[in-house]
Amino acid sequence: MNANQKKQLNTMEPRITIPFSKDILKFENVEAEADRISRRLKDDILVVLKRKGAVIGISGGIDSSVTLALTVKAIGSENVIGIMLPEKDSSPESKEFALKLAGKLNIKTLEEEITRALDGFGCYRRRDEAVTAIFPEYNPNDFKMKIGINQSGLNQFLPPVFSLTIIGSDGKAKSKILPIKEYLQIVAASNFKQRCRMSMLYYHAERLHFAMIGTPNKHEVEQGFFVKNGDGGADIMPIAHLYKSQVYQLAEHLGIPEEIIKRTPTSDTYSAEQTQEEFFFQMPYLEMDLIWYGLENGVPEEEVGKVLGKTKEEIRHIYNNLIRKKKTTEYLRMAPITY
C-alpha cells in the first residue's frame, strides 16, 4: 500500500505481527469472542441504554441469525423478540429460515407485512416507472427485475457500472446498462423497504422499552452496503467489527442451522433473485475479507496477491477500488451536520 492509499483510507501504521495467510482472520478462540461480544451487548442494553430487552429484524440470513444468537446469549431468550418484515418481493425462504432459528432459540416472533405501507409510499410504482423507461415491455406481473454491478471493473480500477436485468415468465433475461437517472430512482424507491422496516422495528422497540439491534457486518458498514436511516439505523451493531468469514465462524460456534450457514447471501430487495456479490461486493467474501484486511493493515500488494493467486497490479486495482468505495459512501456514515 502506498502513502496515498493510507491517507485515503485513514488507517494507522501497519500492525501485522504474523505472516499474512488465508487463515489470518480465523479466531484463535471463537468461544472467547462470542463471550466478549455477548457480555458487552448485555451491558450496553441493560446499563448504557437502560432498556429491558431487544428487538431484531430477522430475515433468515447469516448476519441477522448470528446477531440474534449473540443477543439471546447476552440477555436470555425471554427478553428478545425477532420481527419478520416481509413484502411482496421477499423470498419465502427468509421467513422459513427465520422461524426455524427462532424456534431453536426459543424466542417470541412477530410478523409485520409491509407491502401495503410500501404501496402507500409509491415504492413499487416509482421503481417500475424507472424500469419501463429502459424496458418499455416491462410490467411487474410478467417480469421480475434486479440491478447489478459490473464484475470485471474491480480488477481494472474502473468506476462501477450498473445494469438492469428483467426476466420474463419464460425465464429469458434481458440486460441493459442503467443510466444514472433511472439507477438513482430505482435505488431511492427500493430504499423505502429498509426505511419502512426500521420504522416498524423502532415502533416495537419503543412500545416495549427495548433496544433495537442492528445486524450489519464490517463490510456492509465500511463499504456502505446499507441504507442511511434504514438498516443503517439501530441502537447497537454488535457484529459491525467482524469480517464476513468471522461471522460464519461465530455461526458455527453458536449452532446456527446448517441451511442458514450454507444459504448464499442475497440482497432480498428486488423481485429477481440476486446475490450480494452480484449487486455490490463484486467478489466472494473470503477473497474480499483477506484483501480488505490487507488494505487496512498495510500488507504489500504482492504478498496478498501471492496468497490469492493474483498479480500485484490486480491487488493494487482492488485496493484502490475499495478505497474509492469507502470514500464515496462516507456520506452514509456521517451524523447529521449540526450548527
Side-chain angles (χ1 to χ4, degrees), residues 1-15 218 222 292 295-298 319 322-324 326-327 330 333:
M1 184 194 299
N2 60 39
N4 188 49
Q5 287 173 329
K6 284 185 188 178
K7 183 178 179 181
Q8 291 181 70
L9 190 63
N10 193 28
T11 61
M12 297 172 63
E13 286 300 306
R15 48 188 186 275
K218 179 181 178 71
E222 297 190 14
W292 188 259
L295 176 61
E296 286 190 316
N297 289 275
Y319 272 7
L322 290 173
I323 290 168
R324 178 169 59 192
K326 178 161 182 156
K327 185 176 180 180
E330 191 59 43
R333 292 177 290 275

Side-chain angles (χ1 to χ4, degrees), residues 85-224:
L85 298 150
E87 45 91 20
K88 69 179 185 179
D89 291 334
S90 299
S91 167
E93 278 190 344
S94 296
K95 179 178 178 179
E96 175 189 339
F97 290 154
L99 286 174
K100 182 168 185 175
L101 180 61
K104 180 173 182 177
L105 295 176
N106 195 32
I107 65 159
K108 181 180 178 182
T109 62
L110 296 173
E111 181 175 351
E112 294 280 6
E113 225 287 349
I114 62 172
T115 298
R116 289 179 63 188
L118 293 173
D119 268 329
F121 281 123
C123 167
Y124 308 110
R125 172 180 56 80
R126 298 172 200 270
R127 177 198 67 191
D128 293 343
E129 281 177 358
V131 177
T132 53
I134 308 302
F135 290 106
E137 68 271 29
Y138 171 83
N139 73 74
N141 296 320
D142 298 327
F143 290 89
K144 293 184 177 182
M145 59 77 59
K146 61 182 178 179
I147 66 175
I149 196 170
N150 59 313
Q151 301 298 297
S152 61
L154 192 63
N155 291 334
Q156 303 169 22
F157 194 44
L158 295 175
V161 176
F162 283 87
S163 61
L164 170 66
T165 299
I166 62 171
I167 304 171
S169 53
D170 57 1
K172 293 182 179 179
K174 300 178 182 179
S175 296
K176 289 184 180 179
I177 298 298
L178 194 52
I180 187 64
K181 176 184 175 183
E182 285 73 22
Y183 164 76
L184 290 174
Q185 183 168 335
I186 290 171
V187 170
S190 300
N191 286 351
F192 278 122
K193 298 182 180 186
Q194 285 80 9
R195 292 189 174 113
C196 186
R197 290 185 175 114
M198 183 272 293
S199 296
M200 187 61 73
L201 289 169
Y202 265 108
Y203 163 74
H204 287 290
E206 289 173 354
R207 76 176 178 84
L208 295 166
H209 200 61
F210 278 17
M212 206 272 264
I213 310 300
T215 65
N217 61 54
K218 179 181 178 71
H219 290 298
E220 291 171 335
V221 172
E222 297 190 14
Q223 293 187 47

Side-chain angles (χ1 to χ4, degrees), residues 270-288:
Y270 300 105
S271 54
E273 187 174 308
Q274 179 187 60
T275 68
Q276 291 183 355
E277 180 182 337
E278 175 190 6
F279 177 60
F280 187 83
F281 291 119
Q282 299 175 272
M283 55 182 151
Y285 75 86
L286 288 170
E287 185 176 293
M288 178 173 62

